[in-house]
């Protein structure tokens, strides 16, 4: 994981991922460039996944904390 | 208009009678006046010809003694009692025997209800014109006050109604209660004190002025001008809850919120805990669902993007290229094959032609090719070689060497 992976926002990663996929699907680029794009796409997809997994964990944790009676319920 | 100070000194003091006479003279200068007030106390001694009254200002803690003849007192209809609102025609008198001051009344008139209501109507117009009822001056009471100031009658149903209803909705509600007279001559001054005290308390976020139902006269203190102005001047928002639904004392117009009854005030002064819980729960549920939907949507989007061929099967990127390369290679090979075949045929033709031009056949018929050994020059003229030069003689089956003899020429 590079520094960028942890600082880039979900929206940035998502937008760039969409662009990468569009470029790859449109074709007409050199093999070297498409491989680089694909690697970039994989990394961006991982970043997005980590964001979503993290958000889900936080949501689940908050739900679990709420269901535990906290004494003054 | 300063009167010259009378000259007295420790050596020349005035006797009591002189001072008393002078005071009496001063007081008498006021003459006969009409006085508006409220009867606070009536004292009639059996057999006495004089009746003593205490006349109080309804808005301030100020009173005067009034004396009148029993006849004057008894001529009032309905009979005067404590709390009656009256107009008295009187003249101040100094009773030198005790050094006391009283008003000597020769006429006491009831202020009738009609007159009181007419006065209220005038006061209402005046206060409205001054802007005391203006909607833009109303302050919104806090959603959840820290402490509720409550001004009400001692051990009254109004107090119970406010407290019970507020506590039922918000069990943790705290009250600062000031019990006061809610009718009669003491009511206004006591309420003013209580209001001022609660208004100064920084913990008190809202003040409830509560009183149960009563006659129009009973509710008069809550239409008092001084009280209305005090409520208007309060920095703390004030809720009025006076009498029943239909009662509208003037303070109702000045208060920031008018509650129809003390019960209503109890309900309006605090939020409903159960209701608030329900609302919070509902919002939490919607929050949950909103975030959940958002997350699910994003996960679906990401899964969809990841399953697109360009990301899911990057080898497709390669296999396409590999096919391209194989095709090109085939084309190259085919092209080269053609070129080779063509070159082979060409070679054969050239070989045949070469062969057809070869001198071998001639030599097999007995001819020989003679070459100068030194440089391989084919000899066509004997002059081209000197005697003694080495020669190569090529025959059909091979070659031999020879040497040139002396020329024949």
């Amino acid at each position: 994981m590079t520094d960028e992976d942890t600082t880039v926002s979900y929206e940035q990663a998502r937008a760039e991922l969409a662009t990468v996929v569009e470029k790859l699907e449109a074709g007409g680029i050199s093999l070297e460039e498409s491989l680089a794009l694909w690697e970039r796409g994989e990394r961006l997809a991982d970043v997005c996944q980590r964001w979503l997994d993290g958000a889900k964990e936080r949501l689940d944790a908050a739900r679990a904390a709420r269901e535990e009676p906290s004494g003054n319920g | 208009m300063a009167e010259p100070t009378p000259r007295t000194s420790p050596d020349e003091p005035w006797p009591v009678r002189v001072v008393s006479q002078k005071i009496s003279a001063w007081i008498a200068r006021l003459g006969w006046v009409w006085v508006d007030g409220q009867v606070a106390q009536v004292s009639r001694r059996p057999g006495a010809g004089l009746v003593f009254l205490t006349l109080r200002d309804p808005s301030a803690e100020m009173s005067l003694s009034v004396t009148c003849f029993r006849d004057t007192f008894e001529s009032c209809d309905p009979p005067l009692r404590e709390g009656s609102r009256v107009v008295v025609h009187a003249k101040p008198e100094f009773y030198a025997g005790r050094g006391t001051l009283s008003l000597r009344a020769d006429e006491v008139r009831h202020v009738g209800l009609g007159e009181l209501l007419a006065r209220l109507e005038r006061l209402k117009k005046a206060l409205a014109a001054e802007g005391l009822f203006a909607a833009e001056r109303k302050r919104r009471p806090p959603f959840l006050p820290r402490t509720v100031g409550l001004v009400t009658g001692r051990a009254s149903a109004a107090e119970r109604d406010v407290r019970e209803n507020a506590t039922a909705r918000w069990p943790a509600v705290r009250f600062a209660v000031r019990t006061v007279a809610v009718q009669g001559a003491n009511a206004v001054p006591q309420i003013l004190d209580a209001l001022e005290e609660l208004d100064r308390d920084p913990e008190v976020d809202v003040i409830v002025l509560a009183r149960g139902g009563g006659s129009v006269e009973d509710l008069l203190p809550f239409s008092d001008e001084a009280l209305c102005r005090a409520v208007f001047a309060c920095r703390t928002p004030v809720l009025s809850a006076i009498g029943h639904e239909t009662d509208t004392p003037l303070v109702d117009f000045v208060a920031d919120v008018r509650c129809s009854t003390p019960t209503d005030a109890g309900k309006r002064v605090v939020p409903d805990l159960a209701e608030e819980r329900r609302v919070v729960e509902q919002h939490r549920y919607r929050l949950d669902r909103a975030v959940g939907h958002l997350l699910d949507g994003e996960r679906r989007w990401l899964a969809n993007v990841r399953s697109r061929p360009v990301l899911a099967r990057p080898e497709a990127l390669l296999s396409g290229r590999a096919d391209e390369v194989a095709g090109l290679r085939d084309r190259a090979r085919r092209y080269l094959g053609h070129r080779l075949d063509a070159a082979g045929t060409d070679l054969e033709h050239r070989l045949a032609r070469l062969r057809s031009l070869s001198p071998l056949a001639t030599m097999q018929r007995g001819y020989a090719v003679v070459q100068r050994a030194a440089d391989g020059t084919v000899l066509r003229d004997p002059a081209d070689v000197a005697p003694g030069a080495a020669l190569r003689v090529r025959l059909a089956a091979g070659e031999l060497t020879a040497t040139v003899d002396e020329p024949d020429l």
Side-chain angles (χ1 to χ4, degrees):
Chain A
M1 205 190 297
T2 64
D3 273 359
E4 190 212 355
D5 291 349
T6 55
T7 53
V8 72
S9 77
Y10 175 77
E11 283 68 25
Q12 283 171 323
R14 183 194 202 277
E16 201 187 334
L17 177 55
T19 312
V20 163
V21 169
E22 265 171 36
K23 267 193 198 161
L24 276 174
E25 286 177 345
I29 39 175
S30 74
L31 179 59
E32 195 179 351
E33 208 183 328
S34 54
L35 274 180
L37 275 177
W38 172 72
E39 280 171 359
R40 180 84 187 130
E42 277 296 318
R43 237 188 32 229
L44 289 166
D46 283 345
V47 171
C48 288
Q49 193 74 54
R50 265 199 302 279
W51 271 111
L52 293 180
D53 290 348
K56 178 105 173 44
E57 269 172 36
R58 280 161 63 180
L59 194 63
D60 289 346
R63 279 179 178 153
R66 189 190 316 153
E67 263 134 45
E68 264 173 40
S70 56
N72 58 2
Chain B
M1 45 172 273
E3 293 280 337
T5 308
R7 257 174 294 138
T8 61
S9 73
D11 300 324
E12 284 177 281
W14 283 348
V16 170
R17 64 181 179 281
V18 174
V19 178
S20 184
Q21 278 161 13
K22 285 182 182 288
I23 289 176
S24 188
W26 270 98
I27 285 169
R29 283 163 66 176
L30 184 65
W32 288 92
V33 286
W34 285 99
V35 188
D36 173 28
Q38 189 170 18
V39 176
Q41 211 178 4
V42 180
S43 137
R44 312 173 59 179
R45 288 191 208 92
L50 282 177
V51 178
F52 295 85
L53 303 174
T54 304
L55 193 63
R56 177 164 277 169
D57 189 293
S59 305
E61 207 127 26
M62 292 180 191
S63 53
L64 288 167
S65 298
V66 177
T67 57
C68 63
F69 288 113
R70 177 187 284 268
D71 290 351
T72 312
F73 181 81
E74 284 176 352
S75 69
C76 272
D77 180 42
L80 282 179
R81 56 182 179 85
E82 287 167 11
S84 297
R85 202 62 188 267
V86 291
V87 173
V88 176
H89 188 236
K91 180 180 188 300
E93 270 185 3
F94 188 67
Y95 178 48
R98 286 217 206 123
T100 55
L101 174 78
S102 64
L103 291 177
R104 162 70 66 131
D106 66 353
E107 192 176 346
V108 180
R109 286 189 198 170
H110 270 290
V111 177
L113 194 52
E115 167 61 15
L116 281 176
L117 293 178
R119 277 194 206 171
L120 283 190
E121 208 45 49
R122 285 197 296 274
L123 178 59
K124 185 174 168 183
K125 285 208 179 91
L127 294 181
E130 246 186 82
L132 264 71
F133 305 163
E136 61 269 21
R137 292 295 304 264
K138 307 277 184 214
R139 284 148 308 177
R140 183 196 288 274
F143 177 70
L144 180 57
R146 284 167 300 172
T147 298
V148 177
L150 176 58
V151 180
T152 186
R154 192 178 311 278
S156 62
E159 177 185 356
R160 201 189 57 230
D161 286 350
V162 172
R163 295 187 81 141
E164 276 181 3
N165 281 287
T167 308
R169 287 165 62 85
W170 196 269
V173 63
R174 272 186 302 162
F175 280 99
V177 182
R178 297 291 177 275
T179 51
V180 294
V182 290
Q183 66 192 64
N186 289 322
V188 171
Q190 287 187 10
I191 295 170
L192 292 183
D193 285 350
L195 270 181
E196 201 219 328
E197 193 189 331
L198 291 173
D199 193 32
R200 250 188 293 121
D201 186 341
E203 277 293 304
V204 173
D205 290 332
V206 63
I207 298 172
V208 178
L209 206 52
R211 191 210 190 281
S215 67
V216 174
E217 289 96 329
D218 287 345
L219 300 185
L220 280 178
F222 295 94
S223 291
D224 183 85
E225 180 175 354
L227 178 60
C228 287
R229 292 192 183 281
V231 166
F232 185 71
C234 272
R235 283 161 305 146
T236 316
V238 176
L239 272 64
S240 69
I242 312 300
H244 300 300
E245 182 84 47
T246 49
D247 296 321
T248 48
L250 293 190
V251 77
D252 272 356
F253 297 99
V254 185
D256 296 295
V257 176
R258 184 212 166 219
C259 304
S260 55
T261 57
T263 298
D264 184 36
K267 287 179 182 165
R268 290 170 74 162
V269 76
V270 288
D272 184 345
L273 182 62
E275 170 66 11
E276 290 309 313
R277 281 229 173 96
R278 205 179 58 72
V279 168
V280 167
E281 250 343 286
Q282 211 173 42
H283 281 126
R284 180 178 257 170
Y285 172 72
R286 287 170 57 187
L287 185 72
D288 241 44
R289 268 203 354 192
V291 173
H293 276 170
L294 188 74
L295 266 182
D296 287 350
E298 289 303 314
R299 291 168 84 89
R300 270 200 302 279
W301 180 84
L302 189 58
N304 177 25
V305 166
R306 294 197 99 150
S307 70
R308 301 267 267 275
V310 288
L311 284 186
R313 294 191 294 109
E315 58 275 13
L317 286 175
L318 299 178
S319 66
R321 310 270 171 162
D323 291 351
E324 226 173 74
V325 170
L328 284 173
R329 176 183 281 157
D330 279 359
R331 279 171 60 195
R333 282 191 177 152
R334 271 200 302 281
Y335 175 73
L336 196 64
H338 290 319
R339 287 291 302 271
L340 279 177
D341 290 352
T345 314
D346 185 53
L347 190 62
E348 269 167 37
H349 289 152
R350 280 171 196 275
L351 206 59
R353 268 185 71 202
L354 189 67
R355 283 190 182 141
S356 71
L357 290 174
S358 169
L360 189 66
T362 310
M363 283 192 284
Q364 277 171 343
R365 293 205 304 269
Y367 291 92
V369 176
V370 180
Q371 291 170 290
R372 202 157 58 195
D375 56 4
T377 306
V378 175
L379 292 181
R380 290 180 179 83
D381 186 344
D384 290 345
V385 289
L391 298 175
R392 271 169 64 193
V393 180
R394 211 182 261 268
L395 306 175
E399 60 177 63
L400 53 83
T401 56
T403 307
V404 180
D405 292 339
E406 287 302 314
D408 291 343
L409 297 179

